[in-house]
Amino acid sequence: MKQLNAFAADLDTAAHTATATTQLSDHNPVDLADAYAIQALSIDRRVDRGERIIGYKLGFTSKAKMEQMGVHDIIWGRLTDKMEIISGGVLRRDQFIHPRVEPEIAFRVSRRIEGAISLEEVFDYIDGVTCSLEVIDSRYENFKFSLEDVVADNCSSSAFVLGKWLPVETSVQNLAIAMNINGEEVQTGNSAAILGNPLDSLVQLSRMMERYDAAIEVGDVVLAGAATSAIALKLGDRVEGQFEELGTVNFTVA
Ligand code: OOG
Ligand code: MG
């Protein structure tokens, strides 16, 4: 337990000071349950500093992401209020190690999810859908990690921007997605890349969280996982996500 706490402290310090650290798996192999325990302990440290958990994100729900990072299991992490950037806002480059951006779809939870739900039930549990850009920033050197490493590191979660909330009737299936940086199209994809249907991300999340005795609260945001691989960010970049049906979302790196 003491050692898990020490790993959590290292990862939290790496995030807090924007300084890369070595992979856990290099010297201290931990299993997946330990990795989720380290994640929870590292988030406790953020909460102790005044941050609030406002949702969850999934990782590796698309082939593009699995192949880019070499991890082939779906994972989940926690989002805090400090990670949210208002659309049109600024991402401070000096607060991140080697940030990357990826296009996502987001849901807003309207009824507490404790235990697994089915795809047929999803609409009983959400009251909004929107588009999003997620900024990931692995705390590990060279953005390299094992499955357990990345879970312990809260799935590289570091920032996210949400579009305008839309009614749940808005289709999220089979939507064209484009991501532009400084006016140049750097990624194109389709929401079907996310588990065939992004709504399934909520089902997968509910199943995984059930195993860890965790619940999703009313008002929480869920990011379904990126539809394309991620792109490295640099100072001065203006990033825009364009989503069929869902609109646009953007931020600037300063
Ligand atoms: C891990 C996080 C994966 C996604 O959308 O698949 C993720 C990483 O790639 O660093 O956020
Ligand atoms: Mg993501």
Side-chain angles (χ1 to χ4, degrees), residues 3-22 24 37-51 78 80 82-83 95-97 137-140 149 151-158:
Q3 209 186 7
L4 298 187
N5 256 317
F7 295 153
D10 277 356
L11 284 163
D12 179 58
T13 301
H16 198 50
T17 61
T19 312
T21 186
T22 51
L24 281 183
I38 294 167
Q39 179 190 131
L41 290 166
S42 80
I43 296 297
D44 286 348
R45 300 173 70 91
R46 286 176 175 257
V47 169
D48 287 345
R49 285 197 299 273
E51 292 181 45
R78 289 144 164 110
T80 75
K82 195 169 175 235
M83 297 178 190
Q95 293 178 355
F96 302 88
I97 303 164
D137 191 33
S138 175
R139 267 55 70 163
Y140 300 114
D149 287 334
V151 165
D153 184 27
N154 194 29
C155 307
S156 308
S157 307
S158 68

Side-chain angles (χ1 to χ4, degrees), residues 57-58 102 104 134 136 225-226:
K57 57 86 68 80
L58 288 101
E102 53 191 27
E104 304 243 354
E134 190 192 14
I136 50 173

